[in-house]
Amino acid sequence: MKQSYWHLVWGQFKRQRLALFSLGLVLLLGSVALLASWLSPYPPDFYDLNRILLPPGGAHWLGTDDLGRDVLSRLIYGAQVSLSVGFVAVSIYVAIGILLGALAGYYGGWIDMVISRAIEVMMCFPTFFLILAVLAFVGPSIYNIMIVIGITQWTGIARLVRGEILKFREREFVLAARQAGAKDGRLIFKHLLPNALAPVLVSASFGVASAILTESALSFLGFGVPPQTPSWGSILSQAQAYMDTAWWLTLAPGLAIFLTITAYNLVGEGLRDAIDPRLKDVL
Amino acid sequence: MTLLKVENLVKHFPTGGGFFGKGRLKVHAVNGVSFEVAKGETLGVVGESGCGKTTLGLLLLKSIQPDAGQIFFEGQDVTRMSQRDFRPLRARMQMVFQDPYASLNPRMRIGEIIEEPLAIHGRGSRKERQDRTIELLELVGLEARDFNKYPHEFSGGQRQRIGIARAIALNPDLIIADEPVSSLDVSIQGEILNLLRDLQKKFQLTYIFISHDLRVISQMSDRIAVMYLGKIVELFSAEDLAHVKHPYTQALLKAVPSVDPTQKKEKAPLGGDVPSPIQLPSGCSFHPRCPYREIVCERTEPLLEKKEGGHLASCHFIDKVPKEINI
């Protein structure tokens, strides 16, 4: 029987119903976003001024907005924007965090000193306002949001990876690999990082949730994607004027954000429980 | 032929004392150690925990750099050699570790672990390396089908076999075994020791066998070096175990538990603990615990000198110490 670490983690993860259900939801949302052009009943910016602010039902399952656009279609395309912001932003900062964390943890000395101080300085900024300020300069677009979130949020991952590398650096298997002639690159990428990856994955899963929320908040405040681009935040932002008359306009994107964030957080939590305590005795 | 020779090796570790006091206090881990190991021989290094055995092992492998002294491998001074120049020599000295749970990467398959040294040094094609790995698995008493398993699927003893297979993969000359059996059950210890002995015969390996357990050391070694607080206090041929001269070695011998429960043992002859390696005792570092000490022991450090029977021992009063002891 071949049982890799990730098999064991999956075995533990499977046992947690809520986490498994959330993972299903995450995958479902992902496929909806990928298949948006097939699934959505209307193009996202198709408008019909004769059919504005229609309540849910009939040809428009979730009603229409103030320009007569189909809310469901915009929500489906919005998933594309929100999820891709989440994924790309998190990928950027996980890459930066792993790189800097690994350098700091492995080499120590002045490299660690410089990177650790940079982390501390970065952590002193209230990131959300930093993002707002930067976006005010470079202009709101979905790519700028991804990049700005990416280059401001890496500190957590960097610290995490640095700590994990420090934990494993003096383990005997690393010493053994060094004795076998392994150079720095092999030690870091083959021996140290694979052992540090599990907590990074947990953190990234929470990170996707928080990046989606940040994007929504930015779009809601008008610093996010341009208004014609449907994202959950921008839909919500435009809906607030009609909150008292057209409840479906706020409820639909609000619920989408809520469910997505909750699902990602639950997956992260499930993963954290799966990798941590019960596996300690086997590995 | 001398394979490895060490002269007056010293390693101090700076310790705490806060930001300003940094470097003022030092742990004297290895404090002037000299010995030679001949090819095919097993040198046992024994001592209590904290006596510098493990540091000595790391120094020999050039995992850490000594503060003073020299290391010669096949007559070549490797002490100041750069890591790059040392690489081909490093392949010829490998290590077997104490903790078989920490010494195997939990994310790698057994095959990859054993093959890694071969892959790093580019020995043979992929196929040849795999064949060699399977050969090694069988050599240490595992099976070819274990190739794709992960470390956590094995017991401690089996993991130690995997560690040994990795150590001999590159056909090394010297193996440093740091407490290779002390974390295993006694029944498994014997198997691993036998495996090490078989491999030594088959491949003319030279061992430096580090342990706190004099019973294990005396089974494995041709010569035994006894370390106390970073120094060798006695060096003798293993057959001479009954005639050890140094009071510390004698105390160690008396502390070995007897197999016969009816046999009355003298009470442990050593009082107190090992002194702190940060502030070494003056004179002979063993004097605070020595039953035969006199004033001179507190003042002058005895040298490691040739005594009768070819023993090297560092003690001012060898003559006062009993010539023979009951084991």
Side-chain angles (χ1 to χ4, degrees):
Chain A
M1 210 180 45
K2 289 172 274 174
Q3 283 229 303
S4 80
Y5 174 75
W6 296 107
H7 279 110
L8 295 174
V9 169
W10 173 239
Q12 294 292 339
F13 187 87
K14 263 196 317 203
R15 290 206 213 152
Q16 310 173 62
R17 287 215 189 120
L18 194 58
L20 200 59
F21 178 75
S22 302
L23 183 65
L25 198 61
V26 161
L27 293 177
L28 183 72
L29 282 164
S31 4
V32 166
L34 282 177
L35 303 173
S37 46
W38 284 282
L39 288 177
S40 73
Y42 302 90
D45 36 16
F46 172 80
Y47 64 93
D48 182 351
L49 291 175
N50 294 319
R51 303 171 68 84
I52 61 166
L53 296 174
L54 287 182
H60 302 284
W61 289 5
L62 291 178
T64 58
D65 67 5
D66 54 322
L67 295 173
R69 295 177 295 195
D70 182 50
V71 173
L72 179 62
S73 306
R74 288 184 70 73
L75 214 55
I76 290 175
Y77 275 94
Q80 220 168 32
V81 173
S82 293
L83 291 181
S84 58
V85 167
F87 268 101
V88 176
V90 169
S91 310
I92 293 174
Y93 78 65
V94 164
I96 299 175
I98 285 184
L99 184 73
L100 293 181
L103 287 177
Y106 184 78
Y107 289 105
W110 67 268
I111 297 182
D112 183 27
M113 187 78 172
V114 169
I115 292 175
S116 291
R117 294 304 84 76
I119 291 173
E120 279 152 23
V121 168
M122 206 67 197
M123 278 181 145
C124 290
F125 287 107
T127 14
F128 191 74
F129 293 98
L130 184 64
I131 293 171
L132 275 182
V134 174
L135 282 179
F137 277 109
V138 297
S141 87
I142 135 167
Y143 303 106
N144 286 342
I145 292 184
M146 292 172 179
I147 294 168
V148 172
I149 295 179
I151 58 178
T152 52
Q153 305 278 53
W154 53 270
T155 52
I157 299 277
R159 278 198 155 180
L160 191 69
V161 171
R162 174 180 174 271
E164 290 291 306
I165 299 256
L166 280 179
K167 186 169 93 188
F168 287 106
R169 194 177 62 174
E170 304 299 328
R171 284 280 175 94
E172 292 180 341
F173 68 79
V174 179
L175 207 62
R178 189 171 282 143
Q179 201 54 39
K183 293 178 186 160
D184 294 351
R186 176 184 276 266
L187 289 176
I188 293 175
F189 288 108
K190 194 132 174 92
H191 291 277
L192 291 169
L193 281 181
N195 282 290
L197 216 55
V200 170
L201 207 61
V202 172
S203 179
S205 165
F206 291 126
V208 171
S210 111
I212 291 174
L213 209 56
T214 306
E215 185 275 327
S216 299
L218 287 170
S219 300
F220 185 81
L221 292 175
F223 284 91
V225 299
Q228 67 275 17
T229 317
S231 97
W232 292 341
S234 66
I235 298 172
L236 201 59
S237 166
Q238 288 155 38
Q240 57 179 325
Y242 304 93
M243 203 138 77
D244 45 351
T245 52
W247 51 268
W248 57 91
L249 283 185
T250 43
L251 186 69
L255 214 55
I257 294 172
F258 169 73
L259 281 178
T260 312
I261 305 297
T262 311
Y264 273 98
N265 280 330
L266 286 174
V267 168
E269 239 162 75
L271 194 58
R272 188 182 58 201
D273 290 348
I275 60 172
D276 213 28
R278 276 157 294 221
L279 291 184
K280 278 242 173 79
D281 47 332
V282 254
L283 293 177
Chain B
M1 196 186 90
T2 305
L3 182 69
L4 185 80
K5 186 172 150 192
V6 170
E7 265 175 18
N8 212 9
L9 213 55
V10 175
K11 180 71 190 176
H12 295 163
F13 294 106
T15 180
F19 192 75
F20 294 106
K22 205 172 171 183
R24 244 182 269 162
L25 297 176
K26 291 183 284 193
V27 175
H28 302 254
V30 171
N31 212 6
V33 164
S34 309
F35 61 82
E36 283 180 27
V37 191
K39 195 161 168 46
E41 180 189 36
T42 300
L43 175 73
V45 178
V46 70
E48 287 167 281
S49 48
C51 73
K53 312 177 294 241
T54 297
T55 308
L56 179 65
L58 294 176
L59 283 170
L60 298 180
L61 294 170
K62 268 173 79 72
S63 250
I64 50 179
Q65 196 61 24
D67 294 321
Q70 283 169 301
I71 305 169
F72 298 91
F73 190 77
E74 287 187 336
Q76 193 180 358
D77 186 351
V78 298
T79 328
R80 310 266 164 244
M81 212 179 242
S82 74
Q83 291 294 341
R84 181 195 280 186
D85 293 340
F86 185 62
R87 245 176 126 230
L89 288 177
R90 163 163 286 168
R92 298 176 53 193
M93 34 178 106
Q94 292 294 316
M95 184 143 187
V96 175
F97 295 91
Q98 171 169 17
D99 181 358
Y101 289 85
S103 64
L104 305 178
N105 186 341
R107 302 287 184 277
M108 282 166 74
R109 293 170 195 274
I110 300 313
E112 290 176 82
I113 291 175
I114 298 175
E115 194 186 329
E116 187 175 38
L118 300 168
I120 291 172
H121 288 271
R123 303 269 170 96
S125 68
R126 218 190 146 75
K127 177 81 181 66
E128 283 164 355
R129 288 203 299 265
Q130 275 181 8
D131 292 344
R132 167 83 175 137
T133 305
I134 289 169
E135 189 188 311
L136 285 163
L137 275 171
E138 285 164 354
L139 205 56
V140 298
L142 295 165
E143 292 169 51
R145 66 190 167 90
D146 294 328
F147 192 94
N148 281 320
K149 288 186 187 168
Y150 285 89
H152 64 86
E153 296 171 66
F154 294 90
S155 67
Q158 288 172 315
R159 282 167 176 243
Q160 203 55 301
R161 289 172 188 271
I162 296 162
I164 291 170
R166 171 178 58 193
I168 60 172
L170 289 169
N171 286 319
D173 297 295
L174 175 68
I175 289 194
I176 296 177
D178 185 6
E179 303 267 15
V181 297
S182 55
S183 60
L184 304 176
D185 289 343
V186 178
S187 55
I188 311 292
Q189 285 189 357
E191 293 176 18
I192 298 296
L193 293 178
N194 283 338
L195 173 64
L196 286 170
R197 250 192 301 251
D198 291 347
L199 292 172
Q200 180 168 39
K201 241 179 264 156
K202 221 176 246 171
F203 302 110
Q204 288 88 48
L205 294 169
T206 307
Y207 286 147
I208 292 181
F209 198 98
I210 300 171
S211 176
H212 66 278
D213 188 341
L214 197 54
R215 188 179 50 90
V216 170
I217 286 278
S218 59
Q219 277 179 43
M220 289 297 291
S221 313
D222 299 313
R223 283 186 307 139
I224 299 174
V226 181
M227 276 187 82
Y228 187 77
L229 282 173
K231 283 196 184 108
I232 293 183
V233 293
E234 184 162 10
L235 188 66
F236 56 96
S237 155
E239 301 134 31
D240 256 4
L241 195 65
H243 309 286
V244 293
K245 312 255 186 266
H246 197 280
Y248 177 63
T249 318
Q250 295 199 341
L252 271 188
L253 259 184
K254 285 181 193 155
V256 174
S258 163
V259 193
D260 179 4
T262 58
Q263 189 189 335
K264 278 256 174 16
K265 296 276 289 193
E266 280 176 70
K267 262 214 152 167
L270 270 195
D273 284 323
V274 187
S276 153
I278 297 172
Q279 282 173 319
L280 292 177
S282 60
C284 170
S285 45
F286 186 60
H287 85 257
R289 300 170 80 188
C290 183
Y292 312 103
R293 67 163 174 265
E294 287 185 22
I295 300 287
V296 60
C297 303
E298 291 171 29
R299 297 201 176 139
T300 338
E301 195 184 329
L303 297 170
L304 188 64
E305 289 167 334
K306 204 157 235 160
K307 310 280 170 176
E308 116 196 47
H311 281 222
L312 293 176
S314 61
C315 181
H316 292 303
F317 297 104
I318 289 288
D319 303 334
K320 271 171 71 179
V321 179
K323 291 264 180 281
E324 214 157 311
I325 55 165
N326 275 330
I327 321 171

